[in-house]
Amino acid sequence: MTDFRARLRAWTYRTFYRLPGRWRRRIVRTFQPTYTIGAVAIVRDPQLSRILLLRQPPGAGWSLPAGLMDRGETPVQCAARELGEETGIKLSPEHLRAANPNAVVHTRGQWVDMVFEAEVEPGAELVVDAAEVIEAAWHRLDNLPPLTVSTSRLLANYGIGPYKDYPEARQQ
């Protein structure tokens, strides 16, 4: 990627994330007028009970590697692509397995997260672009940093995070 394109991409993400939430949703709805379908990767370090989290602009909390599906892409392909783009961890779709539940429907926001899990050995190098992702890091499950509300609610479905003991936080 040229230096100009990298700077333009960073500026675009910063500008988008500074917009109010309802404007960001409206922009997405312009291209996805009904339910938006995305894919999420829950990546664990099997030896140390850690999970991979990202801090994205505006940096208000930590989240999971995730993104919207491209046209013609399957959910597992999307999860693998987003994981690679946002963290530098390249896994083939065959290395991701469907989480249980695999689909988390957010009826208020009109989106569906297709959730996949993977385990990665602790030596995996994390590479972020400083535009879409500010920081990627491993965090112990018993000592998680402040999470975004949507990440906390999604992780509750898998018995992880601050909302894990609140059934009302789980998505249906």
Side-chain angles (χ1 to χ4, degrees):
M1 187 182 307
T2 66
D3 188 46
F4 171 76
R5 287 181 58 195
R7 286 195 318 264
L8 178 62
R9 185 171 188 248
W11 177 84
T12 302
Y13 274 105
R14 281 194 307 270
T15 302
F16 179 77
Y17 282 108
R18 286 184 183 141
L19 295 172
R22 67 179 182 273
W23 291 10
R24 291 193 314 259
R25 282 188 296 279
R26 181 160 295 183
I27 290 169
V28 171
R29 293 279 171 255
T30 300
F31 301 103
Q32 297 282 338
T34 57
Y35 270 77
T36 303
I37 308 295
V40 179
I42 299 175
V43 182
R44 299 172 190 255
D45 168 352
Q47 297 176 359
L48 300 174
S49 298
R50 298 185 304 176
I51 190 170
L52 180 60
L53 295 171
L54 311 175
R55 201 164 53 86
Q56 296 178 288
W62 290 78
S63 60
L64 295 163
L68 298 177
M69 287 175 40
D70 289 340
R71 191 172 302 280
E73 188 175 46
T74 66
V76 71
Q77 289 170 333
C78 176
R81 176 181 54 78
E82 288 291 339
L83 179 63
E85 288 176 2
E86 295 179 347
T87 69
I89 296 175
K90 305 282 187 203
L91 293 179
S92 67
E94 295 79 32
H95 287 99
L96 294 166
R97 66 185 177 284
N100 185 15
N102 181 227
V104 177
V105 179
H106 307 269
T107 54
R108 289 189 194 144
Q110 290 189 299
W111 82 88
V112 178
D113 283 325
M114 302 300 295
V115 184
F116 298 89
E117 296 180 305
E119 293 178 348
V120 175
E121 294 302 319
E125 180 184 1
L126 302 176
V127 179
V128 299
D129 65 6
E132 185 179 1
V133 177
I134 299 168
E135 183 179 3
W138 294 98
H139 295 277
R140 290 188 56 81
L141 292 172
D142 60 357
N143 189 24
L144 293 173
L147 302 172
T148 64
V149 172
S150 60
T151 298
S152 295
R153 292 177 64 92
L154 185 130
L155 286 174
N157 290 285
Y158 307 97
I160 302 170
Y163 296 166
K164 69 181 179 186
D165 296 324
Y166 299 95
E168 64 274 12
R170 296 187 187 117
Q171 303 294 313
Q172 298 293 329

